[in-house]
Protein backbone atom coordinates (compact mmCIF):
# COMPACT_ATOMS: atom_id res chain seq x y z
CA UNK A 1 0.00 0.00 0.00
CA UNK A 2 1.04 3.62 -0.40
CA UNK A 3 0.78 4.02 3.36
CA UNK A 4 3.33 1.24 3.79
CA UNK A 5 5.54 2.94 1.22
CA UNK A 6 5.48 6.15 3.24
CA UNK A 7 6.34 4.27 6.44
CA UNK A 8 9.28 2.53 4.75
CA UNK A 9 10.56 5.75 3.23
CA UNK A 10 10.38 7.56 6.55
CA UNK A 11 12.00 4.80 8.57
CA UNK A 12 14.82 3.90 6.20
CA UNK A 13 15.28 7.27 4.45
CA UNK A 14 14.79 5.74 1.00
CA UNK A 15 13.83 7.60 -2.15
CA UNK A 16 13.57 4.69 -4.59
CA UNK A 17 10.47 2.91 -3.28
CA UNK A 18 7.54 1.98 -5.53
CA UNK A 19 4.11 0.66 -4.61
CA UNK A 20 2.57 -2.09 -6.72
CA UNK A 21 -0.70 -3.48 -5.38
CA UNK A 22 -1.48 -7.17 -5.10
CA UNK A 23 -3.54 -8.49 -7.98
CA UNK A 24 -6.63 -10.68 -8.18
CA UNK A 25 -7.76 -13.14 -10.85
CA UNK A 26 -11.09 -11.52 -11.61
CA UNK A 27 -12.18 -14.10 -14.20
CA UNK A 28 -11.62 -16.95 -11.75
CA UNK A 29 -13.47 -15.13 -8.97
CA UNK A 30 -16.44 -14.36 -11.22
CA UNK A 31 -16.74 -17.99 -12.35
CA UNK A 32 -16.51 -19.40 -8.82
CA UNK A 33 -18.91 -16.80 -7.43
CA UNK A 34 -21.66 -18.15 -9.68
CA UNK A 35 -21.81 -21.53 -7.92
CA UNK A 36 -24.96 -22.15 -5.90
CA UNK A 37 -24.98 -22.00 -2.10
CA UNK A 38 -27.03 -23.91 0.46
CA UNK A 39 -28.11 -20.83 2.44
CA UNK A 40 -31.73 -19.71 2.15
CA UNK A 41 -31.63 -16.52 4.23
CA UNK A 42 -30.38 -12.96 3.86
CA UNK A 43 -27.02 -12.26 5.44
CA UNK A 44 -23.97 -10.04 5.68
CA UNK A 45 -20.53 -11.65 5.75
CA UNK A 46 -17.07 -11.55 7.29
CA UNK A 47 -14.13 -13.74 6.27
CA UNK A 48 -10.88 -14.64 8.02
CA UNK A 49 -9.10 -16.87 10.49
CA UNK A 50 -9.61 -16.38 14.21
CA UNK A 51 -6.74 -18.11 15.98
CA UNK A 52 -5.93 -14.55 17.04
CA UNK A 53 -8.30 -11.63 17.29
CA UNK A 54 -6.76 -9.50 14.54
CA UNK A 55 -9.97 -9.80 12.49
CA UNK A 56 -11.97 -8.70 15.55
CA UNK A 57 -15.06 -10.75 14.81
CA UNK A 58 -16.12 -10.02 18.38
CA UNK A 59 -16.59 -6.39 17.35
CA UNK A 60 -18.40 -7.42 14.17
CA UNK A 61 -20.81 -9.53 16.23
CA UNK A 62 -21.39 -6.72 18.73
CA UNK A 63 -21.97 -4.11 16.03
CA UNK A 64 -24.30 -6.47 14.19
CA UNK A 65 -26.22 -7.33 17.37
CA UNK A 66 -26.80 -3.62 18.05
CA UNK A 67 -27.98 -2.98 14.49
CA UNK A 68 -31.48 -3.29 13.07
CA UNK A 69 -30.61 -6.47 11.18
CA UNK A 70 -31.33 -9.13 13.84
CA UNK A 71 -34.90 -7.91 14.32
CA UNK A 72 -35.37 -8.29 10.56
CA UNK A 73 -33.98 -11.83 10.61
CA UNK A 74 -30.95 -10.83 8.56
CA UNK A 75 -28.02 -13.01 9.66
CA UNK A 76 -24.25 -12.69 9.72
CA UNK A 77 -22.08 -15.41 8.18
CA UNK A 78 -18.44 -15.84 9.19
CA UNK A 79 -16.15 -17.95 7.01
CA UNK A 80 -12.90 -19.23 8.49
CA UNK A 81 -11.58 -21.28 11.38
CA UNK A 82 -9.73 -20.70 14.63
CA UNK A 83 -9.43 -21.48 18.31
CA UNK A 84 -11.51 -18.44 19.29
CA UNK A 85 -14.69 -19.99 17.87
CA UNK A 86 -16.25 -20.93 21.22
CA UNK A 87 -15.47 -17.48 22.61
CA UNK A 88 -17.12 -15.85 19.61
CA UNK A 89 -20.14 -18.11 20.03
CA UNK A 90 -20.37 -17.02 23.67
CA UNK A 91 -20.29 -13.38 22.61
CA UNK A 92 -23.11 -14.00 20.12
CA UNK A 93 -25.09 -15.70 22.88
CA UNK A 94 -24.50 -12.81 25.28
CA UNK A 95 -26.11 -10.49 22.72
CA UNK A 96 -28.99 -12.96 22.09
CA UNK A 97 -28.09 -13.39 18.42
CA UNK A 98 -26.53 -16.87 18.55
CA UNK A 99 -29.18 -18.27 16.19
CA UNK A 100 -28.34 -15.62 13.59
CA UNK A 101 -24.52 -15.84 13.69
CA UNK A 102 -23.40 -18.68 11.42
CA UNK A 103 -19.85 -20.01 11.62
CA UNK A 104 -19.44 -21.97 8.39
CA UNK A 105 -15.74 -22.80 8.73
CA UNK A 106 -13.17 -22.79 5.96
CA UNK A 107 -14.51 -22.90 2.40
CA UNK A 108 -12.49 -23.71 -0.71
CA UNK A 109 -14.79 -21.38 -2.62
CA UNK A 110 -15.65 -18.40 -0.44
CA UNK A 111 -16.62 -16.30 -3.44
CA UNK A 112 -20.09 -17.82 -3.87
CA UNK A 113 -20.89 -16.86 -0.27
CA UNK A 114 -19.50 -13.35 -0.69
CA UNK A 115 -21.43 -12.93 -3.95
CA UNK A 116 -24.74 -13.74 -2.27
CA UNK A 117 -24.18 -11.58 0.81
CA UNK A 118 -25.86 -8.20 1.06
CA UNK A 119 -22.46 -6.71 1.85
CA UNK A 120 -19.08 -7.54 3.37
CA UNK A 121 -17.90 -6.22 6.75
CA UNK A 122 -14.20 -5.82 7.59
CA UNK A 123 -13.70 -5.25 11.32
CA UNK A 124 -9.94 -5.89 11.49
CA UNK A 125 -7.53 -4.28 13.91
CA UNK A 126 -5.01 -4.01 11.09
CA UNK A 127 -4.37 -5.29 7.58
CA UNK A 128 -1.75 -5.23 4.85
CA UNK A 129 -3.65 -4.81 1.61
CA UNK A 130 -6.85 -6.70 2.49
CA UNK A 131 -7.31 -9.06 -0.43
CA UNK A 132 -10.79 -9.97 0.73
CA UNK A 133 -11.92 -6.40 -0.01
CA UNK A 134 -10.70 -6.75 -3.59
CA UNK A 135 -12.38 -10.14 -3.87
CA UNK A 136 -15.64 -8.78 -2.48
CA UNK A 137 -15.67 -5.97 -5.02
CA UNK A 138 -14.96 -8.50 -7.78
CA UNK A 139 -18.05 -10.38 -6.55
CA UNK A 140 -20.01 -7.10 -6.87
CA UNK A 141 -20.54 -7.03 -3.11
CA UNK A 142 -20.23 -3.64 -1.38
CA UNK A 143 -18.09 -3.25 1.74
CA UNK A 144 -18.38 -1.70 5.19
CA UNK A 145 -14.88 -1.44 6.64
CA UNK A 146 -13.03 -0.04 9.59
CA UNK A 147 -10.53 2.62 8.49
CA UNK A 148 -7.73 0.44 9.86
CA UNK A 149 -4.04 0.51 9.01
CA UNK A 150 -3.48 -0.23 6.19
CA UNK A 151 -5.28 -0.65 2.88
CA UNK A 152 -9.03 -0.04 3.19
CA UNK A 153 -8.73 3.65 2.34
CA UNK A 154 -6.83 2.71 -0.84
CA UNK A 155 -9.58 0.31 -1.94
CA UNK A 156 -12.80 1.81 -0.63
CA UNK A 157 -14.08 5.20 -1.75
CA UNK A 158 -16.51 6.23 0.97
CA UNK A 159 -20.07 6.35 -0.33
CA UNK A 160 -19.06 5.12 -3.78
CA UNK A 161 -18.23 1.41 -3.44
CA UNK A 162 -18.56 1.03 0.33
CA UNK A 163 -18.29 2.80 3.66
CA UNK A 164 -15.17 3.61 5.68
CA UNK A 165 -15.85 3.58 9.41
CA UNK A 166 -13.88 5.33 12.15
CA UNK A 167 -11.40 2.74 13.40
CA UNK A 168 -12.48 0.77 16.51
CA UNK A 169 -15.73 2.74 16.81
CA UNK A 170 -18.33 0.01 17.30
CA UNK A 171 -21.23 2.45 17.40
CA UNK A 172 -20.11 3.88 14.05
CA UNK A 173 -19.79 0.35 12.66
CA UNK A 174 -23.36 -0.38 13.75
CA UNK A 175 -24.50 2.83 12.05
CA UNK A 176 -22.59 1.86 8.91
CA UNK A 177 -24.23 -1.56 8.84
CA UNK A 178 -27.66 0.02 9.18
CA UNK A 179 -26.92 2.60 6.51
CA UNK A 180 -25.65 0.09 3.97
CA UNK A 181 -28.62 -2.16 4.62
CA UNK A 182 -31.41 0.38 4.58
CA UNK A 183 -30.23 3.31 2.45
CA UNK A 184 -31.22 1.84 -0.91
CA UNK A 185 -29.85 4.73 -2.96
CA UNK A 186 -26.43 4.46 -1.32
CA UNK A 187 -26.47 0.68 -1.60
CA UNK A 188 -27.28 0.74 -5.31
CA UNK A 189 -24.53 3.29 -5.95
CA UNK A 190 -21.95 1.24 -4.06
CA UNK A 191 -22.97 -2.00 -5.74
CA UNK A 192 -22.78 -0.40 -9.18
CA UNK A 193 -19.20 0.74 -8.57
CA UNK A 194 -17.80 -2.45 -7.04
CA UNK A 195 -16.66 -4.22 -10.18
CA UNK A 196 -15.19 -1.06 -11.68
CA UNK A 197 -12.93 -0.77 -8.63
CA UNK A 198 -11.95 -4.44 -8.74
CA UNK A 199 -10.71 -4.10 -12.31
CA UNK A 200 -8.01 -1.70 -11.09
CA UNK A 201 -6.47 -4.70 -9.30
CA UNK A 202 -6.72 -7.22 -12.14
CA UNK A 203 -3.73 -9.35 -13.12
CA UNK A 204 -3.52 -7.46 -16.41
CA UNK A 205 -3.49 -4.02 -14.78
CA UNK A 206 -1.06 -4.89 -11.99
CA UNK A 207 1.09 -6.94 -14.36
CA UNK A 208 1.60 -3.85 -16.49
CA UNK A 209 2.88 -1.97 -13.43
CA UNK A 210 5.51 -4.68 -12.92
CA UNK A 211 6.54 -4.55 -16.58
CA UNK A 212 6.80 -0.77 -16.41
CA UNK A 213 8.92 -1.00 -13.25
CA UNK A 214 11.30 -3.41 -14.99
CA UNK A 215 11.20 -1.24 -18.14
CA UNK A 216 10.22 -4.37 -20.08
CA UNK A 217 9.17 -3.96 -23.68
CA UNK A 218 7.97 -6.62 -26.12
Amino acid sequence: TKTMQQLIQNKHHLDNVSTIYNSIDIDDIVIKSQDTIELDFEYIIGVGQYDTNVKQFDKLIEAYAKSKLPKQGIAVVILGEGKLKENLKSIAKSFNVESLVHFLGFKNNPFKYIKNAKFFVLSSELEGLPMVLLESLACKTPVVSFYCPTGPEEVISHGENGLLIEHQNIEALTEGINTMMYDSKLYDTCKMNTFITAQKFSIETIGKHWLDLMKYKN
Side-chain angles (χ1 to χ4, degrees):
T1 65
K2 292 177 181 177
T3 303
M4 288 181 175
Q5 175 178 336
Q6 191 64 53
L7 290 170
I8 291 169
Q9 288 174 320
N10 292 343
K11 181 176 181 179
H12 300 289
H13 309 291
L14 300 173
D15 59 5
N16 61 341
V17 181
S18 298
T19 295
I20 299 180
Y21 291 119
N22 294 335
S23 65
I24 52 172
D25 188 338
I26 293 179
D27 292 341
D28 182 63
I29 292 171
V30 169
I31 291 170
K32 290 179 177 177
S33 72
Q34 294 171 354
D35 287 352
T36 57
I37 61 172
E38 68 277 10
L39 307 181
D40 60 355
F41 50 81
E42 281 191 303
Y43 62 91
I44 63 175
I45 194 167
V47 177
Q49 302 305 306
Y50 37 90
D51 277 325
T52 66
N53 200 35
V54 173
K55 299 299 182 182
Q56 298 189 142
F57 289 128
D58 56 338
K59 294 187 177 180
L60 167 56
I61 292 169
E62 180 178 351
Y64 161 78
K66 293 178 177 178
S67 75
K68 300 176 182 177
L69 275 62
K71 291 182 179 179
Q72 301 295 321
I74 300 167
V76 57
V77 165
I78 297 176
L79 302 186
E81 296 176 340
K83 62 186 179 183
L84 297 180
K85 183 176 181 179
E86 292 307 315
N87 181 58
L88 293 172
K89 283 186 172 182
S90 295
I91 292 170
K93 187 174 182 179
S94 72
F95 285 108
N96 297 312
V97 293
E98 66 270 26
S99 65
L100 289 167
V101 180
H102 301 271
F103 297 90
L104 301 189
F106 172 80
K107 298 294 182 182
N108 285 320
N109 178 8
F111 308 122
K112 61 182 180 179
Y113 296 95
I114 296 172
K115 173 73 173 180
N116 286 279
K118 293 296 293 182
F119 53 91
F120 184 95
V121 181
L122 188 141
S123 52
S124 299
E125 178 184 4
L126 52 88
E127 289 281 350
L129 177 69
M131 297 297 289
V132 71
L133 293 190
L134 309 183
E135 293 162 350
S136 295
L137 297 177
C139 291
K140 299 183 180 179
T141 300
V143 172
V144 176
S145 173
F146 269 158
Y147 198 135
C148 69
T150 63
E153 76 280 8
E154 296 181 41
V155 177
I156 303 304
S157 298
H158 185 73
E160 294 182 15
N161 58 8
L163 297 176
L164 286 171
I165 306 299
E166 181 184 358
H167 194 34
Q168 303 297 337
N169 188 331
I170 295 177
E171 290 73 23
L173 185 58
T174 295
E175 183 179 348
I177 288 172
N178 285 333
T179 299
M180 184 61 78
M181 190 73 212
Y182 297 108
D183 186 334
S184 58
K185 184 176 180 180
L186 171 78
Y187 182 84
D188 290 344
T189 296
C190 289
K191 192 170 184 66
M192 180 179 64
N193 290 324
T194 51
F195 198 71
I196 297 170
T197 306
Q199 289 174 317
K200 299 176 183 178
F201 299 89
S202 69
I203 291 175
E204 294 75 17
T205 299
I206 302 303
K208 186 177 185 303
H209 293 325
W210 280 105
L211 295 175
D212 290 344
L213 179 69
M214 295 184 288
K215 297 181 172 58
Y216 177 82
K217 295 181 181 180
N218 290 326

